[in-house]
Amino acid sequence: MIIEVKNVSVKFMTGNFRDIGLKEYLVRKVKKDVYSSEFCALDNINFTINKGDMLGIIGTNGAGKSTLLKVITGVLPPTNGTVKCRGSISALLELATGFDGDLTVRENTYLRGALLGYSRQFMNETYDDIIEFAELEEFQDCSFKHLSSGMKSRLAFAIASLVNPEILILDEVLSVGDGSFRDKSETKMKEIINDGATTIMVSHSISQIRRMSNKVLWIDKGKQIAFGDTKNICDEYEKYLKTKVLPNGCNMQ
């Protein structure tokens, strides 16, 4: 077992007090003009995946998919429950994270590598492969802010996937770029999996989930609907998208 998510819930407080100062808060409290409510972004999520597994996470917008990835990577602590990860994590949650628009492509590559915990020597040895994979040989000394969104995503994916991660976490990354690069990215992902890495991927492309994942987690409005076999769950999810009627029972295997 490489990743174990047990009884994980994430709750946020919302209300009319978040952007006011202490004085204004006290005045409103005296006037009984302060209200708050609790929003449950994730509600009791449970699953385990093993070495070499490729977990696809599916769900409509607002289901809690990205929130779950942030909990797994340690960016966001859970309100309840525990997450155990055994191995180094390379996460690509937001493509622009870790880049400086005023630095060059070359400088940003080393910066992202440092943020991922890799030494300069390792980045020196890997740099050419990263740039070649990202197809940015002619843009190494260009400012990052001048790149197209597709070029930025190619660089981000190349850095995350070429640093030999034990656990790779991707949020809607393989859906960016042109068709040729998407095919190359999928091929690279298969190589990573075959080398024994454990991967978690969020994607709205069910065909992509079917091709690449051996396990699927389906969440809806923060609740776990199903975890297990890719084909069965994807079949049920596509039926749901057509009817918007959830299957009877949760956590089907």
Side-chain angles (χ1 to χ4, degrees):
M1 181 268 295
I2 298 296
I3 299 177
E4 179 185 41
V5 175
K6 188 173 182 180
N7 303 322
V8 164
S9 296
V10 174
K11 299 177 181 178
F12 300 108
M13 294 298 297
T14 62
N16 67 342
F17 59 89
R18 296 178 60 85
D19 298 318
I20 62 175
L22 177 59
K23 182 178 179 180
E24 178 66 17
Y25 172 79
L26 294 174
V27 171
R28 289 191 184 186
K29 189 172 182 179
V30 171
K31 294 180 179 180
K32 297 183 179 179
D33 186 29
V34 177
Y35 63 87
S36 64
S37 61
E38 190 175 71
F39 170 69
C40 190
L42 294 174
D43 185 9
N44 198 38
I45 306 297
N46 291 273
F47 67 88
T48 61
I49 55 177
N50 301 311
K51 183 177 180 180
D53 279 341
M54 174 67 160
L55 173 68
I57 302 180
I58 59 176
T60 55
N61 290 333
K65 304 183 296 297
S66 295
T67 299
L68 178 57
L69 294 189
K70 290 177 181 178
V71 171
I72 294 172
T73 57
V75 174
L76 180 67
T79 306
N80 299 107
T82 59
V83 175
K84 295 180 181 178
C85 295
R86 294 177 173 83
S88 60
I89 297 177
S90 180
L92 195 50
L93 304 184
E94 297 175 1
L95 293 178
T97 301
F99 290 121
D100 186 324
D102 293 324
L103 298 180
T104 66
V105 168
R106 186 189 308 274
E107 291 167 335
N108 269 297
T109 301
Y110 279 88
L111 174 61
R112 175 63 76 91
L115 291 174
L116 291 173
Y118 293 98
S119 67
R120 187 171 185 84
Q121 179 181 348
F122 178 83
M123 293 305 298
N124 285 340
E125 296 170 352
T126 313
Y127 175 79
D128 288 340
D129 291 334
I130 291 173
I131 295 300
E132 180 181 358
F133 188 90
E135 302 170 6
L136 294 175
E137 293 94 334
E138 299 178 7
F139 302 92
Q140 298 178 58
D141 296 313
C142 291
S143 293
F144 186 78
K145 62 186 177 184
H146 293 148
L147 300 183
S148 68
S149 59
M151 295 164 78
K152 293 175 181 178
S153 68
R154 295 204 305 264
L155 179 61
F157 179 82
I159 296 170
S161 62
L162 294 179
V163 291
N164 303 318
E166 294 177 280
I167 300 172
L168 181 60
I169 297 180
L170 307 171
D171 189 1
E172 286 293 343
V173 172
L174 298 187
S175 62
V176 296
D178 57 28
S180 175
F181 189 78
R182 286 197 295 271
D183 291 341
K184 185 164 71 170
S185 298
E186 286 196 14
T187 299
K188 182 60 182 178
M189 288 302 308
K190 291 174 182 177
E191 291 178 5
I192 292 173
I193 295 168
N194 290 337
D195 287 341
T198 301
T199 308
I200 299 178
M201 177 179 70
V202 165
S203 177
H204 283 291
S205 172
I206 299 304
S207 61
Q208 191 176 71
I209 293 290
R210 287 183 185 275
R211 287 195 304 272
M212 301 190 66
S213 302
N214 67 316
K215 293 182 179 178
V216 170
L217 173 68
W218 174 10
I219 55 179
D220 185 78
K221 297 178 181 178
K223 295 184 178 294
Q224 180 168 326
I225 305 303
F227 169 70
D229 176 70
T230 297
K231 182 181 184 305
N232 291 340
I233 295 177
C234 285
D235 288 348
E236 289 295 328
Y237 181 65
E238 289 186 320
K239 290 179 185 177
Y240 164 74
L241 292 178
K242 294 177 181 178
T243 64
K244 292 295 185 180
V245 177
L246 291 171
N248 293 326
C250 296
N251 298 308
M252 59 183 181
Q253 300 295 321

